[in-house]
């Protein structure tokens, strides 16, 4: 088979659905002594490189899956990323690690040597980052430059032609002028907020078709697309600067206003053709977005558009009810339709309606609706499309998986666009908003539904139910206000301790189902945290125990407290100045791009290096690892799960498809790399491991993963705290880190 995919047929057949269904474990590749955090192919697909917690880089042969070289890199902590440098005949490789270092190696020096562990001196060493390096990016056709993304909030550009050490030898006090993106004041709590806090970068990618496009993601909900041609010249990081404007934000609209410290991106990547991006969230799902949306595109939204997804003025009593659209298939002659396909769709909608009525097989009812709405074939018509959207919304509201309620809202809005007088769309919209705790908005839709169908007892009952909820909430608020007034003198100036927060959370924790029902509620309250570390001794380092010694102080306060960390125009931190207040008040949020597909079933809460990848040269399938030791494959166009495989004893983090063949490499917490090829005797949806077909039921597995995601929603301590405590920040070029595990 040729190395280059010159014919479209080769690209289409590389990962045909029939081959996906036959994927099975071919080889377990042993050679590391720790978790394998990074794997990457060379451009020809002949070699695979891996980086591990054992601080070694391994080079593997694809032909026989054998270990060619095992390199002792000299990194002092976990390797999180490694790459082949393009156009160097695979002689140069680069690595980034938890010790905040980027190291370049020339493996041509290993020619003729055995695969035994070899200590290789780096050809270049860059020590300018102050926190963990989580991702590296290279440019197709460029053998001279590598980019590194770090949790210190900077993305740096390392040019091998300008020096082999950083800082330059003999000038330890000199600042490294290689900062391409300074996002230490770049994180946003919500889309409407101006950026203030450090955006701890977790991932970055450069488009293979438009190399000037740079995509980054980190410790907030927004992936950012930059045009490298529009960025300022490289600089040092002596001063924190305002983040540069980006070309596009990418974020599912329903996540853009969720002020959750734990919500962050673990991986961002371009599709093979550069037209789409894939985002993987911790505590969330995987989402697909379009890179290029025109000004009128339905996927684009601004801050003002966000509330509209939850509240588009419903039909009130004084509103005249318009007539519904004709029930025919878009008023087109039947001869233009595939009648067999249309008949099959009608039967699937009937099955979905039966699943809704019975309250069982909700997953399969939703899958039937997905097939009707997203499946290939002729149009199904407005009437059937409207009915299917309403049924799917109701099924999603009853299933209550992570963010199902927001997907139901999308369906209700689409159904109301088809038929503005739709009773079902208004009724289910009211139920969705009620689940979110948005009682006032829910009441408007419930009253509209009751107006559309005055004889419907369910709508009348919902109106009364919501009114009772609003009255109870108002009474509770008055009672709470009175209690707060009585206790104000006692509580004034008291700082909450860690124990206060933990005890309060334990005493007030609702049931698991209740927590999910209240997701995104207006009544939700988030605790923010300030802390400081004091390092004692020689750099705070105990050489024998490898433990950072020191102390830390915690201070908790509410989000609306006046004591907040603000980033002023000169990058300094402190109390809000008049200039910073003016800057925040005049800040104009950019346009963002909404999701066009989501992929559910996996669980991503245990590690912050979980990947989501396109499979194949055409990227027709999407894959991700999971915290349950499996990895999942979805059809990109429809979002439907098509394959689930057992890939690890604990967690699968990395999934990388071969450039040209139908072969996929995976790795995770295990010390091994696993190679998957389509050699199974029979096609199946579930397969994996060395014993053949997996015994676990698909639905049971993904339901367990959904429970884990919902549980993660109520984490007490924010993500930023855990990260900062694990890796303190040091001055540039003076980092002496301690060993740290993955988050």
């Amino acid at each position: 088979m040729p190395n280059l995919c010159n014919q479209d047929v080769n690209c289409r057949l590389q990962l045909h659905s029939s081959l996906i269904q036959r994927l099975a474990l071919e080889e377990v590749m042993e050679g590391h002594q720790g978790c394998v955090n990074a794997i990457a192919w060379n451009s020809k697909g002949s070699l695979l490189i891996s980086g591990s917690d054992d601080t070694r880089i391994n080079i593997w042969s694809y032909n026989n899956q054998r270990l060619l070289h095992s390199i002792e890199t000299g990194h002092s902590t976990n390797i999180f990323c490694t790459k082949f440098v393009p156009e160097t005949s695979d002689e140069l490789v680069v690595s980034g690690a938890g010790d905040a270092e980027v190291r370049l190696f020339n493996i041509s020096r290993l020619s003729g040597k055995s695969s035994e562990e070899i200590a290789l001196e780096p050809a270049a060493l860059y020590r300018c980052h102050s926190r963990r390096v989580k991702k590296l990016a290279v440019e197709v056709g460029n053998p001279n430059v590598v980019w590194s993304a770090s949790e210190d909030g900077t993305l740096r550009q390392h040019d091998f032609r300008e020096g082999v050490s950083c800082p330059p030898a003999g000038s330890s006090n000199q600042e490294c002028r290689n900062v391409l993106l300074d996002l230490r004041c770049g994180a946003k709590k919500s889309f409407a907020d101006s950026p203030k806090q450090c955006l701890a970068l977790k991932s970055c990618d450069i488009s293979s078709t438009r190399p000037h496009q740079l995509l980054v993601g980190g410790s907030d909900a927004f992936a950012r697309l930059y045009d490298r041609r529009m960025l300022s010249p490289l600089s040092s990081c002596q001063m924190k600067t305002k983040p540069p404007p980006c070309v596009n934000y990418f974020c599912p609209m329903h996540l853009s206003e969720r002020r959750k410290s734990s919500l962050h991106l673990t991986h961002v990547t371009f599709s093979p053709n550069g037209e789409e991006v894939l985002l993987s969230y911790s505590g969330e799902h995987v989402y697909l977005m379009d890179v290029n949306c025109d000004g009128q595109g339905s996927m684009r939204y601004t801050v003002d558009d966000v509330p509209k997804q939850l509240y588009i003025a419903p039909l009130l009593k004084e509103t005249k009810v318009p007539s519904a659209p004709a029930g025919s298939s878009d008023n087109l002659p039947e001869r233009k339709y595939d009648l067999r396909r249309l008949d099959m769709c009608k039967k699937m909608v009937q099955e979905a309606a039966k699943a809704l009525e019975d309250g069982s097989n909700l997953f399969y009812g939703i899958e039937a609706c997905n097939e009707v709405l997203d499946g290939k074939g002729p149009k199904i018509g407005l009437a059937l499309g409207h009915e299917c959207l309403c049924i799917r919304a109701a099924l999603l509201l009853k299933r209550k998986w992570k963010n199902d309620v927001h997907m139901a809202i999308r369906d209700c809005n689409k159904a109301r666009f088809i038929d503005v007088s739709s009773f079902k769309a208004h009724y289910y919209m009211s139920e969705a908003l009620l689940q979110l705790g948005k009682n006032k908005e829910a009441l408007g839709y419930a009253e509209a539904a009751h107006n559309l169908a005055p004889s419907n007892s369910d709508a009348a009952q919902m109106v009364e139910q919501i009114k009772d909820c609003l009255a109870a909430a108002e009474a509770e608020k008055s009672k709470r206000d009175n209690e707060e007034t009585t206790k104000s003198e006692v509580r004034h100036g008291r700082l909450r301790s860690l124990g206060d927060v933990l005890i309060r959370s334990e005493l007030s924790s609702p049931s698991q189902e209740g927590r999910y029902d209240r997701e995104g509620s207006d009544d939700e309250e988030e605790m923010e945290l300030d802390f400081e570390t004091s390092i004692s001794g020689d750099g705070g380092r105990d050489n024998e125990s490898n433990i950072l010694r020191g102390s830390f102080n915690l201070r908790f306060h509410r989000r609306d407290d006046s004591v907040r960390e603000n980033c002023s125009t000169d990058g300094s931190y402190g109390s809000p100045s008049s200039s910073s207040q003016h800057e925040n008040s005049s800040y104009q949020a950019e346009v963002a791009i909404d999701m066009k597909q989501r992929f559910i079933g996996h669980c991503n809460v245990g590690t912050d290096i979980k990947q989501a990848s396109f499979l194949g040269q055409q990227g027709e399938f999407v894959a991700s690892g999971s915290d349950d030791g499996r990895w999942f494959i979805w059809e990109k166009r429809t979002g439907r799960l098509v394959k689930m495989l057992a890939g690890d004893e604990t967690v699968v983090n990395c999934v990388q498809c071969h450039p040209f063949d139908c072969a996929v490499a995976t790795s995770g917490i295990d010390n091994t790399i696993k190679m998957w090829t389509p050699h199974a005797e029979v096609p199946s949806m579930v397969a994996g491991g060395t014993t053949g077909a997996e015994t676990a039921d698909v639905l049971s597995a993904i339901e367990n993963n959904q429970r884990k995601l919902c549980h993660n929603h109520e984490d007490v301590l924010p993500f930023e705290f855990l990260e900062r405590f694990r890796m303190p920040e040091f001055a540039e070029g003076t980092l002496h880190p301690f060993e740290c595990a993955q988050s």
Side-chain angles (χ1 to χ4, degrees), residues 254 258 285 309-310 392-393 395-413 428-437 516-520 598:
H254 62 275
R258 292 181 59 187
H285 306 299
Q309 70 165 333
L310 302 179
R392 186 168 69 176
L395 289 165
L396 289 166
L397 291 173
K398 186 169 287 189
R399 186 176 69 172
K400 296 182 180 179
W401 286 3
K402 186 79 169 185
N403 276 334
D404 273 357
V405 62
H406 292 285
M407 299 301 106
I409 287 173
R410 290 168 65 98
D411 281 351
C412 288
N413 283 331
Y428 294 134
M429 189 71 166
S430 176
E431 184 178 336
L433 293 170
L434 194 60
Q435 285 192 21
L436 290 177
Y516 182 61
D517 288 349
R518 298 292 292 173
E519 181 181 336
R598 74 166 181 166

Tab-separated table of all heavy atoms in Angstrom, residues 254 258 285 309-310 392-393 395-413 428-437 516-520 598:
chain	number	residue	atom	x	y	z
A	254	HIS	N	-24.350	26.128	25.703
A	254	HIS	CA	-24.856	25.837	27.044
A	254	HIS	C	-23.743	25.755	28.084
A	254	HIS	O	-24.025	25.732	29.281
A	254	HIS	CB	-25.668	24.536	27.034
A	254	HIS	CG	-24.881	23.330	26.638
A	254	HIS	ND1	-24.694	22.966	25.324
A	254	HIS	CD2	-24.234	22.402	27.365
A	254	HIS	CE1	-23.983	21.864	25.261
A	254	HIS	NE2	-23.684	21.494	26.487
A	258	ARG	N	-21.609	28.723	32.207
A	258	ARG	CA	-21.480	27.906	33.407
A	258	ARG	C	-20.202	28.288	34.140
A	258	ARG	O	-19.099	27.980	33.708
A	258	ARG	CB	-21.465	26.414	33.050
A	258	ARG	CG	-22.797	25.935	32.524
A	258	ARG	CD	-22.752	24.466	32.203
A	258	ARG	NE	-22.415	23.686	33.389
A	258	ARG	CZ	-22.187	22.385	33.359
A	258	ARG	NH1	-22.249	21.744	32.223
A	258	ARG	NH2	-21.886	21.730	34.450
A	285	HIS	N	-18.560	16.180	27.824
A	285	HIS	CA	-18.504	15.334	26.640
A	285	HIS	C	-17.457	15.851	25.648
A	285	HIS	O	-16.728	16.796	25.924
A	285	HIS	CB	-19.881	15.289	25.972
A	285	HIS	CG	-20.996	14.883	26.882
A	285	HIS	ND1	-21.036	13.658	27.501
A	285	HIS	CD2	-22.115	15.547	27.293
A	285	HIS	CE1	-22.134	13.569	28.239
A	285	HIS	NE2	-22.797	14.707	28.135
A	309	GLN	N	-31.449	30.983	23.971
A	309	GLN	CA	-31.633	29.541	23.852
A	309	GLN	C	-32.551	29.010	24.947
A	309	GLN	O	-33.151	27.946	24.814
A	309	GLN	CB	-30.291	28.826	23.914
A	309	GLN	CG	-29.631	28.865	25.286
A	309	GLN	CD	-28.504	27.871	25.405
A	309	GLN	OE1	-28.499	26.853	24.729
A	309	GLN	NE2	-27.544	28.165	26.270
A	310	LEU	N	-32.659	29.761	26.049
A	310	LEU	CA	-33.503	29.349	27.156
A	310	LEU	C	-34.837	30.070	27.178
A	310	LEU	O	-35.780	29.605	27.809
A	310	LEU	CB	-32.783	29.592	28.489
A	310	LEU	CG	-31.438	28.900	28.667
A	310	LEU	CD1	-30.856	29.250	30.020
A	310	LEU	CD2	-31.590	27.396	28.529
A	392	ARG	N	-37.859	13.292	20.866
A	392	ARG	CA	-36.475	13.186	21.351
A	392	ARG	C	-36.256	14.105	22.548
A	392	ARG	O	-35.560	13.730	23.499
A	392	ARG	CB	-35.486	13.508	20.235
A	392	ARG	CG	-34.039	13.264	20.645
A	392	ARG	CD	-33.089	13.302	19.468
A	392	ARG	NE	-32.953	14.633	18.899
A	392	ARG	CZ	-32.104	14.939	17.905
A	392	ARG	NH1	-31.351	13.980	17.366
A	392	ARG	NH2	-32.038	16.162	17.431
A	393	ALA	N	-36.825	15.311	22.521
A	393	ALA	CA	-36.693	16.220	23.659
A	393	ALA	C	-37.275	15.588	24.917
A	393	ALA	O	-36.668	15.637	26.000
A	393	ALA	CB	-37.375	17.551	23.350
A	395	LEU	N	-37.691	12.385	25.558
A	395	LEU	CA	-36.848	11.259	25.956
A	395	LEU	C	-35.590	11.737	26.677
A	395	LEU	O	-35.174	11.154	27.685
A	395	LEU	CB	-36.474	10.436	24.728
A	395	LEU	CG	-37.595	9.602	24.088
A	395	LEU	CD1	-37.184	9.134	22.692
A	395	LEU	CD2	-37.937	8.401	24.970
A	396	LEU	N	-34.975	12.796	26.155
A	396	LEU	CA	-33.773	13.338	26.789
A	396	LEU	C	-34.083	13.849	28.196
A	396	LEU	O	-33.294	13.647	29.135
A	396	LEU	CB	-33.199	14.466	25.935
A	396	LEU	CG	-32.544	14.055	24.614
A	396	LEU	CD1	-32.325	15.278	23.722
A	396	LEU	CD2	-31.214	13.346	24.869
A	397	LEU	N	-35.221	14.506	28.364
A	397	LEU	CA	-35.595	15.023	29.680
A	397	LEU	C	-35.857	13.897	30.667
A	397	LEU	O	-35.636	14.037	31.870
A	397	LEU	CB	-36.839	15.907	29.559
A	397	LEU	CG	-36.639	17.232	28.819
A	397	LEU	CD1	-37.974	17.934	28.606
A	397	LEU	CD2	-35.679	18.133	29.585
A	398	LYS	N	-36.326	12.778	30.165
A	398	LYS	CA	-36.585	11.641	31.046
A	398	LYS	C	-35.308	10.858	31.338
A	398	LYS	O	-35.139	10.323	32.439
A	398	LYS	CB	-37.636	10.724	30.408
A	398	LYS	CG	-38.095	9.581	31.300
A	398	LYS	CD	-39.313	8.873	30.728
A	398	LYS	CE	-40.561	9.733	30.878
A	398	LYS	NZ	-41.796	8.986	30.534
A	399	ARG	N	-34.378	10.805	30.374
A	399	ARG	CA	-33.128	10.063	30.592
A	399	ARG	C	-32.214	10.778	31.582
A	399	ARG	O	-31.579	10.156	32.417
A	399	ARG	CB	-32.407	9.855	29.252
A	399	ARG	CG	-31.184	8.964	29.372
A	399	ARG	CD	-30.552	8.689	28.024
A	399	ARG	NE	-29.925	9.863	27.429
A	399	ARG	CZ	-29.177	9.834	26.332
A	399	ARG	NH1	-28.987	8.676	25.698
A	399	ARG	NH2	-28.639	10.925	25.835
A	400	LYS	N	-32.062	12.106	31.443
A	400	LYS	CA	-31.316	12.938	32.391
A	400	LYS	C	-29.833	12.592	32.468
A	400	LYS	O	-29.230	12.635	33.534
A	400	LYS	CB	-31.933	12.839	33.793
A	400	LYS	CG	-33.335	13.378	33.889
A	400	LYS	CD	-33.868	13.307	35.317
A	400	LYS	CE	-35.272	13.847	35.401
A	400	LYS	NZ	-35.829	13.783	36.770
A	401	TRP	N	-29.215	12.283	31.348
A	401	TRP	CA	-27.767	12.171	31.331
A	401	TRP	C	-27.163	13.565	31.305
A	401	TRP	O	-27.863	14.569	31.177
A	401	TRP	CB	-27.302	11.373	30.114
A	401	TRP	CG	-27.553	9.903	30.247
A	401	TRP	CD1	-28.189	9.258	31.277
A	401	TRP	CD2	-27.190	8.887	29.313
A	401	TRP	NE1	-28.251	7.917	31.044
A	401	TRP	CE2	-27.640	7.652	29.851
A	401	TRP	CE3	-26.538	8.890	28.097
A	401	TRP	CZ2	-27.440	6.438	29.191
A	401	TRP	CZ3	-26.339	7.692	27.436
A	401	TRP	CH2	-26.779	6.481	27.978
A	402	LYS	N	-25.851	13.627	31.409
A	402	LYS	CA	-25.160	14.904	31.471
A	402	LYS	C	-25.549	15.792	30.289
A	402	LYS	O	-25.338	15.451	29.131
A	402	LYS	CB	-23.639	14.668	31.459
A	402	LYS	CG	-22.801	15.908	31.672
A	402	LYS	CD	-22.755	16.279	33.132
A	402	LYS	CE	-21.710	17.336	33.401
A	402	LYS	NZ	-21.559	17.620	34.837
A	403	ASN	N	-26.152	16.953	30.603
A	403	ASN	CA	-26.529	17.966	29.619
A	403	ASN	C	-27.591	17.508	28.629
A	403	ASN	O	-27.803	18.151	27.598
A	403	ASN	CB	-25.302	18.490	28.858
A	403	ASN	CG	-24.615	19.595	29.626
A	403	ASN	OD1	-25.239	20.291	30.424
A	403	ASN	ND2	-23.333	19.763	29.401
A	404	ASP	N	-28.280	16.409	28.934
A	404	ASP	CA	-29.418	16.034	28.101
A	404	ASP	C	-30.466	17.140	28.080
A	404	ASP	O	-31.145	17.354	27.069
A	404	ASP	CB	-30.054	14.742	28.627
A	404	ASP	CG	-29.408	13.497	28.055
A	404	ASP	OD1	-28.503	13.640	27.203
A	404	ASP	OD2	-29.793	12.384	28.460
A	405	VAL	N	-30.615	17.837	29.202
A	405	VAL	CA	-31.620	18.887	29.276
A	405	VAL	C	-31.327	20.001	28.275
A	405	VAL	O	-32.238	20.560	27.657
A	405	VAL	CB	-31.718	19.445	30.713
A	405	VAL	CG1	-30.418	20.078	31.146
A	405	VAL	CG2	-32.861	20.451	30.830
A	406	HIS	N	-30.048	20.323	28.065
A	406	HIS	CA	-29.696	21.368	27.100
A	406	HIS	C	-29.926	20.897	25.667
A	406	HIS	O	-30.311	21.694	24.800
A	406	HIS	CB	-28.246	21.790	27.297
A	406	HIS	CG	-28.004	22.497	28.592
A	406	HIS	ND1	-28.386	23.798	28.805
A	406	HIS	CD2	-27.434	22.079	29.742
A	406	HIS	CE1	-28.054	24.153	30.033
A	406	HIS	NE2	-27.482	23.138	30.620
A	407	MET	N	-29.690	19.611	25.408
A	407	MET	CA	-29.988	19.080	24.085
A	407	MET	C	-31.501	19.086	23.835
A	407	MET	O	-31.958	19.328	22.710
A	407	MET	CB	-29.439	17.657	23.949
A	407	MET	CG	-27.926	17.548	24.103
A	407	MET	SD	-26.999	18.548	22.893
A	407	MET	CE	-26.443	19.882	23.958
A	408	ALA	N	-32.274	18.841	24.890
A	408	ALA	CA	-33.731	18.908	24.750
A	408	ALA	C	-34.178	20.327	24.426
A	408	ALA	O	-35.106	20.533	23.630
A	408	ALA	CB	-34.392	18.414	26.039
A	409	ILE	N	-33.554	21.308	25.025
A	409	ILE	CA	-33.884	22.707	24.738
A	409	ILE	C	-33.599	23.032	23.278
A	409	ILE	O	-34.391	23.711	22.610
A	409	ILE	CB	-33.099	23.633	25.682
A	409	ILE	CG1	-33.677	23.555	27.096
A	409	ILE	CG2	-33.119	25.077	25.179
A	409	ILE	CD1	-32.882	24.294	28.128
A	410	ARG	N	-32.485	22.529	22.754
A	410	ARG	CA	-32.176	22.747	21.340
A	410	ARG	C	-33.272	22.156	20.453
A	410	ARG	O	-33.710	22.761	19.477
A	410	ARG	CB	-30.816	22.133	20.998
A	410	ARG	CG	-29.635	22.869	21.599
A	410	ARG	CD	-28.356	22.041	21.455
A	410	ARG	NE	-27.969	21.864	20.077
A	410	ARG	CZ	-27.049	22.587	19.446
A	410	ARG	NH1	-26.441	23.561	20.086
A	410	ARG	NH2	-26.736	22.347	18.199
A	411	ASP	N	-33.721	20.944	20.798
A	411	ASP	CA	-34.769	20.298	20.008
A	411	ASP	C	-36.079	21.072	20.097
A	411	ASP	O	-36.805	21.212	19.097
A	411	ASP	CB	-34.971	18.855	20.485
A	411	ASP	CG	-33.907	17.916	19.954
A	411	ASP	OD1	-33.118	18.342	19.083
A	411	ASP	OD2	-33.848	16.754	20.408
A	412	CYS	N	-36.397	21.564	21.293
A	412	CYS	CA	-37.633	22.336	21.447
A	412	CYS	C	-37.594	23.614	20.610
A	412	CYS	O	-38.590	23.997	19.985
A	412	CYS	CB	-37.863	22.676	22.918
A	412	CYS	SG	-38.350	21.268	23.941
A	413	ASN	N	-36.457	24.272	20.615
A	413	ASN	CA	-36.332	25.490	19.808
A	413	ASN	C	-36.467	25.186	18.314
A	413	ASN	O	-37.086	25.939	17.560
A	413	ASN	CB	-35.001	26.174	20.095
A	413	ASN	CG	-35.010	26.925	21.413
A	413	ASN	OD1	-36.053	27.400	21.860
A	413	ASN	ND2	-33.855	27.040	22.045
A	428	TYR	N	-42.572	20.805	26.668
A	428	TYR	CA	-41.286	20.199	27.017
A	428	TYR	C	-40.230	21.266	27.319
A	428	TYR	O	-39.320	21.041	28.113
A	428	TYR	CB	-40.818	19.261	25.903
A	428	TYR	CG	-41.711	18.050	25.731
A	428	TYR	CD1	-42.139	17.635	24.474
A	428	TYR	CD2	-42.136	17.324	26.842
A	428	TYR	CE1	-42.965	16.530	24.323
A	428	TYR	CE2	-42.962	16.214	26.699
A	428	TYR	CZ	-43.376	15.830	25.437
A	428	TYR	OH	-44.192	14.732	25.309
A	429	MET	N	-40.352	22.418	26.680
A	429	MET	CA	-39.454	23.520	27.010
A	429	MET	C	-39.665	23.954	28.461
A	429	MET	O	-38.701	24.225	29.189
A	429	MET	CB	-39.701	24.698	26.069
A	429	MET	CG	-38.682	25.809	26.194
A	429	MET	SD	-37.072	25.322	25.517
A	429	MET	CE	-36.246	26.899	25.396
A	430	SER	N	-40.901	23.993	28.884
A	430	SER	CA	-41.192	24.343	30.272
A	430	SER	C	-40.597	23.310	31.218
A	430	SER	O	-40.004	23.654	32.250
A	430	SER	CB	-42.708	24.435	30.471
A	430	SER	OG	-43.020	24.688	31.819
A	431	GLU	N	-40.732	22.040	30.881
A	431	GLU	CA	-40.170	20.981	31.721
A	431	GLU	C	-38.649	21.075	31.791
A	431	GLU	O	-38.046	20.878	32.849
A	431	GLU	CB	-40.598	19.614	31.188
A	431	GLU	CG	-40.143	18.451	32.049
A	431	GLU	CD	-40.622	17.114	31.526
A	431	GLU	OE1	-41.636	17.088	30.798
A	431	GLU	OE2	-39.979	16.096	31.835
A	432	ALA	N	-38.020	21.391	30.662
A	432	ALA	CA	-36.563	21.522	30.638
A	432	ALA	C	-36.095	22.666	31.528
A	432	ALA	O	-35.147	22.526	32.318
A	432	ALA	CB	-36.078	21.734	29.204
A	433	LEU	N	-36.733	23.809	31.403
A	433	LEU	CA	-36.350	24.960	32.217
A	433	LEU	C	-36.613	24.704	33.696
A	433	LEU	O	-35.877	25.185	34.565
A	433	LEU	CB	-37.102	26.202	31.746
A	433	LEU	CG	-36.720	26.700	30.351
A	433	LEU	CD1	-37.687	27.770	29.875
A	433	LEU	CD2	-35.296	27.232	30.348
A	434	LEU	N	-37.641	23.933	33.982
A	434	LEU	CA	-37.925	23.575	35.366
A	434	LEU	C	-36.808	22.702	35.927
A	434	LEU	O	-36.405	22.854	37.088
A	434	LEU	CB	-39.263	22.847	35.440
A	434	LEU	CG	-39.889	22.678	36.833
A	434	LEU	CD1	-40.154	24.032	37.469
A	434	LEU	CD2	-41.172	21.863	36.739
A	435	GLN	N	-36.275	21.786	35.116
A	435	GLN	CA	-35.152	20.971	35.558
A	435	GLN	C	-33.917	21.819	35.840
A	435	GLN	O	-33.122	21.505	36.720
A	435	GLN	CB	-34.818	19.903	34.510
A	435	GLN	CG	-35.797	18.749	34.456
A	435	GLN	CD	-35.273	17.590	33.627
A	435	GLN	OE1	-34.067	17.458	33.398
A	435	GLN	NE2	-36.179	16.730	33.179
A	436	LEU	N	-33.767	22.908	35.096
A	436	LEU	CA	-32.618	23.786	35.297
A	436	LEU	C	-32.825	24.754	36.460
A	436	LEU	O	-31.926	25.524	36.787
A	436	LEU	CB	-32.329	24.585	34.028
A	436	LEU	CG	-31.782	23.804	32.835
A	436	LEU	CD1	-31.613	24.716	31.641
A	436	LEU	CD2	-30.464	23.132	33.178
A	437	GLY	N	-34.004	24.741	37.065
A	437	GLY	CA	-34.270	25.657	38.155
A	437	GLY	C	-34.652	27.046	37.697
A	437	GLY	O	-34.730	27.968	38.508
A	516	TYR	N	-28.161	16.520	39.573
A	516	TYR	CA	-28.156	16.699	38.118
A	516	TYR	C	-29.349	17.526	37.663
A	516	TYR	O	-29.247	18.327	36.752
A	516	TYR	CB	-28.175	15.335	37.433
A	516	TYR	CG	-28.125	15.468	35.943
A	516	TYR	CD1	-27.028	16.077	35.337
A	516	TYR	CD2	-29.173	15.049	35.146
A	516	TYR	CE1	-26.997	16.235	33.971
A	516	TYR	CE2	-29.143	15.197	33.788
A	516	TYR	CZ	-28.050	15.785	33.210
A	516	TYR	OH	-28.002	15.945	31.863
A	517	ASP	N	-30.481	17.338	38.345
A	517	ASP	CA	-31.651	18.112	37.952
A	517	ASP	C	-31.428	19.593	38.140
A	517	ASP	O	-32.008	20.408	37.434
A	517	ASP	CB	-32.871	17.683	38.792
A	517	ASP	CG	-33.374	16.306	38.375
A	517	ASP	OD1	-32.911	15.829	37.332
A	517	ASP	OD2	-34.197	15.731	39.095
A	518	ARG	N	-30.574	19.973	39.093
A	518	ARG	CA	-30.360	21.377	39.384
A	518	ARG	C	-29.180	21.940	38.615
A	518	ARG	O	-28.768	23.063	38.861
A	518	ARG	CB	-30.112	21.561	40.885
A	518	ARG	CG	-31.275	21.127	41.728
A	518	ARG	CD	-32.469	22.024	41.535
A	518	ARG	NE	-32.224	23.345	42.061
A	518	ARG	CZ	-33.037	24.359	41.914
A	518	ARG	NH1	-34.162	24.212	41.236
A	518	ARG	NH2	-32.755	25.543	42.417
A	519	GLU	N	-28.636	21.182	37.700
A	519	GLU	CA	-27.467	21.646	36.959
A	519	GLU	C	-27.764	22.960	36.252
A	519	GLU	O	-28.739	23.105	35.544
A	519	GLU	CB	-27.059	20.589	35.937
A	519	GLU	CG	-25.846	20.972	35.126
A	519	GLU	CD	-25.516	19.891	34.132
A	519	GLU	OE1	-25.895	18.752	34.365
A	519	GLU	OE2	-24.877	20.211	33.127
A	520	GLY	N	-26.894	23.938	36.457
A	520	GLY	CA	-27.072	25.214	35.802
A	520	GLY	C	-28.120	26.089	36.448
A	520	GLY	O	-28.527	27.091	35.879
A	598	ARG	N	-22.329	16.401	19.403
A	598	ARG	CA	-21.694	15.962	20.650
A	598	ARG	C	-21.551	14.450	20.629
A	598	ARG	O	-22.322	13.735	19.979
A	598	ARG	CB	-22.483	16.414	21.881
A	598	ARG	CG	-23.767	15.660	22.137
A	598	ARG	CD	-24.313	15.931	23.551
A	598	ARG	NE	-25.539	15.181	23.785
A	598	ARG	CZ	-26.086	14.992	24.974
A	598	ARG	NH1	-25.516	15.511	26.050
A	598	ARG	NH2	-27.197	14.311	25.116
